[in-house]
Amino acid sequence: MITTETNINTSTSVLVKFKTYTELLKPRLSFLVAFSAAFGYLLAFEGTINWATFISLSMGGFLVSGASIMINQIIEKDLDRMMSRTQNRPIPSGRVTVNEAIFYTIITGIGGLFLLLSYTNVLTTALAFVSMLLYGFLYTPLKRVGSIAVFVGAIPGALPPMLGWVAATGRISYEAIIIFAFQFIWQFPHFWAIAWVLDDDYKKAGFKLLPSKKGKDVSTAFQIAVYTMFLIPMGLLPTQVGITGLAAGIIATVCGILFLVPALQLLKICSSKGDAELAKQQAKRIMFGSFIYLPVVQIAFLIDKI
């Protein structure tokens, strides 16, 4: 009986630990990175897909992303305790020690880079490594400096589709730069909408991510609207250079306009010094719109190519 109870407790403990380590990876965010890398690969390939490369690219991208995210959590462990949304993360809550997290990060990062090096190419692996360094060791500390952090963070955030393209072709071509630039521009309304919604919590940790020194004001709303507007011609660029067809361009344009609407509404509210809560609701719409916009447009590009 004791042995049975011990086995049950051991199994439960292992399962809890597994869930905690999985939580550290932020699997949903890491999956989006893997999805973007797979998108870039499928958009670039010609002929028969190399499934070993494709699967290793996706898994490697997932693991490198997870390692980058864990570096962020290790560095910000004390700051995470200050914010309501992060105080229950594995490290600040004490469910994982810092040494455990460091060991797990090293294993995960090396594993992801090894997969990329073994099944893609040196350039793809190098770009993934640079992305990890930028996100973990530059973007993370810059979050307390100013909005320059968003610019820096947008680089690793936009690299996954380029990684996929380079994994398929072995080179950084103008097409790779275009799909990088498209996702790079998308990062700004995405980041700033999140920062607007979470501004009060971010202030507790000293994070300064909004582009205006005054924070949630008309200047920030204007910049969100401008970058969202830039996505409309950027969404058409793959069609113009022949990466995708006309249908994808139309879908990207329609999605861009729909994404722009709440950004313009936020600008209108701030211009007339409207209700702060109403402005926050519009920022939430932009935030959720950004989550929908990118995968929908990427999928449209892929379907149109097929």
Side-chain angles (χ1 to χ4, degrees):
M1 183 68 175
I2 294 176
T3 302
T4 302
E5 290 179 356
T6 301
N7 290 337
I8 292 172
N9 290 335
T10 301
S11 298
T12 302
S13 178
V14 170
L15 182 60
V16 169
K17 205 69 172 177
F18 175 78
K19 288 181 177 179
T20 303
Y21 277 121
T22 302
E23 186 181 337
L24 262 178
L25 284 169
K26 289 192 180 178
R28 284 184 293 182
L29 180 56
S30 295
F31 172 78
L32 288 175
V33 170
F35 176 84
S36 289
F39 155 76
Y41 180 86
L42 293 174
L43 200 62
F45 91 96
E46 298 291 342
T48 304
I49 296 175
N50 185 324
W51 288 105
T53 299
F54 178 75
I55 293 170
S56 297
L57 169 70
S58 302
M59 291 180 63
F62 181 91
L63 292 174
V64 171
S65 172
S68 304
I69 290 166
M70 288 189 288
I71 292 170
N72 174 275
Q73 291 179 76
I74 292 167
I75 293 173
E76 292 183 348
K77 62 185 186 303
D78 295 325
L79 301 177
D80 281 346
R81 293 190 183 99
M82 301 178 184
M83 297 183 288
S84 302
R85 73 181 191 89
T86 56
Q87 61 188 5
N88 291 320
R89 283 177 174 174
I91 300 175
S93 66
R95 289 177 288 146
V96 173
T97 68
V98 173
N99 287 338
E100 286 175 328
I102 291 173
F103 178 75
Y104 186 40
T105 300
I106 292 171
I107 295 300
T108 303
I110 291 174
L113 293 172
F114 177 78
L115 275 174
L116 293 175
L117 185 58
S118 299
Y119 292 96
T120 61
N121 51 60
V122 173
L123 184 55
T124 301
T125 309
L127 288 172
F129 182 63
V130 169
S131 175
M132 184 168 61
L133 293 180
L134 284 175
Y135 186 87
F137 297 107
L138 192 56
Y139 162 70
T140 295
L142 283 176
K143 287 162 73 175
R144 303 189 79 196
V145 174
S147 60
I148 185 65
V150 176
F151 176 85
V152 173
I155 297 172
L159 275 174
M162 178 182 278
L163 291 180
W165 190 283
V166 173
T169 65
R171 61 192 181 92
I172 299 176
S173 61
Y174 72 88
E175 296 97 337
I177 293 171
I178 286 172
I179 60 173
F180 167 85
F182 173 70
Q183 191 151 318
F184 180 79
I185 295 297
W186 169 84
Q187 301 281 324
F188 290 90
H190 171 71
F191 266 116
W192 287 334
I194 293 173
W196 189 300
V197 172
L198 300 176
D199 186 54
D200 292 336
D201 218 17
Y202 279 171
K203 283 178 180 176
K204 297 175 186 176
F207 291 163
K208 303 170 184 177
L209 297 177
L210 292 173
S212 170
K213 291 183 179 180
K214 294 181 180 180
K216 297 179 290 186
D217 65 358
V218 67
S219 176
T220 291
F222 175 76
Q223 292 186 63
I224 290 174
V226 167
Y227 277 90
T228 307
M229 192 177 299
F230 277 145
L231 280 174
I232 297 175
M234 286 300 300
L236 276 170
L237 198 54
T239 297
Q240 292 174 336
V241 299
I243 299 173
T244 60
L246 180 60
I250 293 172
I251 292 172
T253 301
V254 171
C255 288
I257 292 170
L258 292 175
F259 189 20
L260 179 61
V261 169
L264 292 176
Q265 289 175 335
L266 175 64
L267 179 59
K268 181 180 179 181
I269 292 167
C270 293
S271 298
S272 60
K273 297 182 180 179
D275 181 71
E277 187 58 34
L278 184 59
K280 185 176 181 179
Q281 291 302 316
Q282 288 301 326
K284 280 185 179 179
R285 288 183 63 193
I286 298 168
M287 181 181 72
F288 288 120
S290 71
F291 292 141
I292 297 170
Y293 171 85
L294 188 64
V296 168
V297 173
Q298 287 178 336
I299 290 169
F301 285 169
L302 290 178
I303 292 175
D304 190 59
K305 178 186 176 180
I306 294 171

